[in-house]
Amino acid sequence: MSKISSAITEIHRIEDLQKRDQWLNRIHPLVKLACTCFYIVCLVSFNPYDILGVLSMGLYPLILFMTGDLSITDCLRRVRIVLPLVCLIGIFNPIFDRAPMLLFGFAVRAGFVSMLTLIMKGVFAVLASYILIASTSIENICYALSILHLPGILITETLLIYRYVGLLLAETERITQAYSLRAPGQKGVHFKVWGSLAGQMLLRSMDRANDVFASMSLRGYSSDFRYRKSGIRWRAFDLLYLAVWCCAFLFLRNFPLFEIVGSLFV
Amino acid sequence: MRQIEIRNLTFAYMKGADILKDISLSVSPGESVGLVGANGAGKSTLLKILVGLNPGFAGSVTVGGIPVEKGTLPKIRQKIGYVFQDSDSQLFMTTVGEDVAFGPRNYGLSESEVRARTDRALAETGITHIKDRPIMRLSGGEKKLASIATILSMEPEILLLDEPSIALDPKNRRNIINILNRLQATKIIASHDLDMIMDTCSRTVLMGDGKIIADGPTDKILRDKALLEENSLELPLRLQ
């Protein structure tokens, strides 16, 4: 299977995850969106040297992965492109921040601790976003955004980009397949035709964009996007879920969980 | 009263290269008209002019007595539904149900009416079972049916279809023909599938080089071998 086919299949698999009949999938999309945003805000607000505090925030993705029947292996495979970038963020900290500090009784460079903290923050944020995406369809996320009164144009863009990614991938696959069938034995696309292939993609994209806009206009679109999702209802459990997690995040942010738990045993 | 009235229509994408040349055509309510002709004859261009996608034409075009011009397009587009040749251009929402509901929602209908229309359009096209399916995962036939459903949900008086049977297998093609025959709306169907035109249209307009070459009963025009061959067409398969 080509890389492009794999990408399309991955999109389909994530859509299958979104459609599962799991308790996590049934939670109101606005609650999940708010929870994820609040989690990320709390996460990034930690002191760069508070490694245990940040580590305790890992409970949120851990619990949801376990109870939501999500596979951490699949998740790591899907976000494998992002993770190295996340890890790169703090890579220079140990060089520039050489002050000594104690970590688990060992003297280490403060920059090393802040690098680990940054990596953990990045990884946890990616995991939390993955949980949101794996349990909430793009329409439901857009519905949540529309409840928040985000500008319609942004919601439309989000929906259309998602739809367009599939079309663009399919178009790219057609072009590259047509190329490879007439260039046997070549690995990849020769650099001499990169320009014309990219040009073709651009022209086709513009044509498609024109057609899609025409189709929208013919069905009454006039920049005021009307999107509703009638099947979603608020339940008491949704509010409870939000309240419990928000309290948990605030607690973890303000109290050292591991020290408290440790003091119970020591 | 004529539902569509075209008088002396001339149109060019680029100056000096007329695609449509002095075309006059009338269509009555409830009529089913087949638009046939070789590639580049101007069939799609003519359909697009009717819904205001190709402005800047010379001559007059009226739909339901309303002239096609910038200010009247919202009204015209409520009357006419246009099914694109390529379904991927027609379908832009993420699921079939959302795409079918897009038009009615934009016209400010209540959510219950939107739901009723969506369900009706899906039932008419026989695709209720794929209502929640992502567009990306539809087959070619399902995409075409979904495209038609997106238009039916707007309950248009006139349907314009550009190559509705293109790239469909025989079963899906027959399905589309049956659906089109059940619809009461005025229809203009541009197609190279002359057998389908025979099955769905009582009147045929033959176009060639931007002009109307012949206009009359389908049975007469599509049996005229010499006329068809002169215009780069062939007799329908069933007559060969």
Side-chain angles (χ1 to χ4, degrees), chain B residues 29-65:
Chain B
E31 250 191 316
S32 198
V33 180
L35 206 54
V36 301
N39 291 331
K43 306 184 294 290
S44 301
T45 305
L46 179 59
L47 294 187
K48 284 183 177 175
I49 283 178
L50 289 174
V51 284
L53 289 179
N54 284 338
F57 54 82
S60 82
V61 180
T62 60
V63 175

Side-chain angles (χ1 to χ4, degrees), chain A residues 11-12 15-16 138-139 162-163 166-167 208 211-212 214-220 226-228 230, chain B residues 77 86 88-95 98-99 103 105-107 111 115 134-137 150 154:
Chain A
I11 293 176
H12 290 169
E15 280 170 352
D16 287 339
I138 189 80
E139 307 97 80
Y162 181 75
R163 162 86 180 110
L167 283 180
R208 179 76 74 194
D211 283 348
V212 168
S215 173
M216 293 171 78
S217 308
L218 292 178
R219 287 194 269 157
R226 291 159 197 263
Y227 180 80
R228 288 183 199 98
S230 52
Chain B
R77 289 172 177 177
D86 182 356
D88 276 327
S89 301
Q90 181 103 29
L91 306 168
F92 44 81
M93 297 293 281
T94 45
T95 65
E98 282 304 318
D99 219 311
R105 276 200 187 121
N106 273 317
Y107 284 112
E111 197 56 24
R115 268 204 303 277
I135 300 291
M136 265 196 278
R137 302 180 86 162
T150 62
M154 294 167 65

Side-chain angles (χ1 to χ4, degrees), chain B residues 165 168 170 173-174 177 192-199 222-223 225 228-229 233-240:
Chain B
S165 63
L168 292 184
R173 178 182 165 278
R174 181 54 54 191
I177 290 172
H192 288 127
D193 182 352
L194 301 188
D195 285 272
M196 191 199 68
I197 295 292
M198 283 198 102
D199 285 338
L222 296 190
R223 284 174 191 277
K225 190 178 175 190
L228 293 174
E229 286 181 354
L233 298 174
E234 285 183 333
L235 282 173
L237 285 173
R238 74 184 67 168
L239 300 179
Q240 287 181 19

Side-chain angles (χ1 to χ4, degrees), chain B residues 66-153:
Chain B
I66 305 167
V68 176
E69 51 195 35
K70 199 176 175 188
T72 59
L73 288 183
K75 271 187 181 176
I76 301 265
R77 289 172 177 177
Q78 269 186 302
K79 288 176 181 287
I80 300 189
Y82 180 84
V83 180
F84 281 73
Q85 184 172 327
D86 182 356
S87 303
D88 276 327
S89 301
Q90 181 103 29
L91 306 168
F92 44 81
M93 297 293 281
T94 45
T95 65
V96 174
E98 282 304 318
D99 219 311
V100 176
F102 181 84
R105 276 200 187 121
N106 273 317
Y107 284 112
L109 299 176
S110 68
E111 197 56 24
S112 59
E113 178 61 16
V114 170
R115 268 204 303 277
R117 281 192 181 207
T118 303
D119 291 345
R120 232 171 9 243
L122 291 169
E124 270 183 276
T125 44
I127 51 169
T128 306
H129 60 289
I130 56 168
K131 183 179 180 182
D132 296 319
R133 197 180 292 175
I135 300 291
M136 265 196 278
R137 302 180 86 162
L138 301 181
S139 68
E142 288 167 338
K143 276 185 188 169
K144 187 55 82 176
L145 290 169
S147 297
I148 295 174
T150 62
I151 297 307
L152 294 185
S153 64

Side-chain angles (χ1 to χ4, degrees), chain A residues 11 17 48 58 63 90 105 111 119 122 130-131 147 149-150 166 179 183 208 256:
Chain A
I11 293 176
L17 280 179
I63 290 171
I119 290 173
Y130 176 83
I131 290 168
I147 295 175
H149 296 286
L150 245 76
Y179 174 86
R208 179 76 74 194

Side-chain angles (χ1 to χ4, degrees), chain A residues 33-141:
Chain A
L33 183 68
C35 226
T36 308
C37 291
F38 190 57
Y39 172 75
I40 292 173
V41 167
C42 289
L43 186 67
V44 296
S45 69
F46 270 91
N47 182 310
Y49 304 110
D50 187 2
I51 194 163
L52 286 178
V54 173
L55 193 61
S56 68
M57 290 295 278
L59 282 175
Y60 172 70
L62 185 71
I63 290 171
L64 291 189
F65 268 104
M66 284 166 65
T67 57
D69 196 23
L70 290 165
S71 159
I72 185 86
T73 325
D74 284 347
C75 167
L76 293 175
R77 189 173 49 77
R78 285 180 180 128
V79 299
R80 65 186 181 279
I81 299 170
V82 187
L83 287 180
L85 297 175
V86 167
C87 296
L88 275 175
I89 296 171
I91 204 155
F92 293 112
N93 286 23
I95 300 167
F96 296 116
D97 188 358
R98 290 161 179 254
M101 70 176 285
L102 279 177
L103 177 66
F104 305 122
F106 296 99
V108 291
R109 283 183 185 176
F112 181 71
V113 175
S114 64
M115 181 190 77
L116 282 180
T117 313
L118 270 176
I119 290 173
M120 280 198 294
K121 281 181 182 181
V123 170
F124 290 161
V126 169
L127 293 183
S129 309
Y130 176 83
I131 290 168
L132 174 70
I133 291 165
S135 62
T136 322
S137 65
I138 189 80
E139 307 97 80
N140 286 355
I141 291 175

Side-chain angles (χ1 to χ4, degrees), chain B residues 172-216:
Chain B
N172 276 313
R173 178 182 165 278
R174 181 54 54 191
N175 193 13
I176 297 268
I177 290 172
N178 293 337
I179 290 166
L180 292 179
N181 282 334
R182 279 200 300 271
L183 296 175
Q184 299 297 311
T186 307
K187 296 180 280 282
I188 303 184
I189 305 171
S191 182
H192 288 127
D193 182 352
L194 301 188
D195 285 272
M196 191 199 68
I197 295 292
M198 283 198 102
D199 285 338
T200 53
C201 302
S202 54
R203 177 182 163 198
T204 293
V205 173
L206 172 60
M207 292 184 71
D209 193 26
K211 295 177 199 152
I212 291 180
I213 308 291
D215 181 354

